[in-house]
Amino acid sequence: IMETKKQNKLFWITELQLEPWEPNEIITNKENLKFGIDLNPEVIFLWGFEYWYWRRSKSDLRYWDKAKEIIKKF
């Protein structure tokens, strides 16, 4: 990461895991998000977004709303 920044290149995280995998889980391991943010990238793409969006399109807002709540904390 430091070498990337020394070369004046952008550091992106392209698939930070947040998709729920366990039964009754809304978002997998919020610590993943904290870890990613602590690395100080310019961009973080969240793995799981398409699932939250799909659930939202089926009128299930639990995942979408929980993701918004967690992301706002960071």
Side-chain angles (χ1 to χ4, degrees):
I1 297 167
M2 296 307 294
E3 188 62 33
T4 300
K5 296 208 179 227
K6 275 200 276 187
Q7 293 178 25
N8 206 24
K9 295 181 179 177
L10 298 178
F11 169 57
W12 289 20
I13 298 174
T14 57
E15 290 186 358
L16 183 70
Q17 173 61 43
L18 287 180
E19 186 173 8
W21 287 100
E22 301 300 324
N24 302 315
E25 194 172 58
I26 299 292
I27 300 222
T28 297
N29 195 351
K30 290 173 264 186
E31 292 302 311
N32 284 356
L33 183 57
K34 182 178 180 339
F35 176 78
I37 289 170
D38 287 347
L39 292 174
N40 197 29
E42 282 75 22
V43 175
I44 299 177
F45 291 110
L46 303 178
W47 185 271
F49 170 82
E50 66 281 1
Y51 182 73
W52 311 330
Y53 187 80
W54 177 77
R55 295 294 295 241
R56 180 178 171 219
S57 74
K58 302 294 181 193
S59 299
D60 180 356
L61 297 177
R62 294 174 300 151
Y63 296 84
W64 190 260
D65 290 345
K66 189 64 173 177
K68 284 193 320 188
E69 174 189 322
I70 290 168
I71 291 166
K72 282 182 182 178
K73 289 180 182 179
F74 291 97

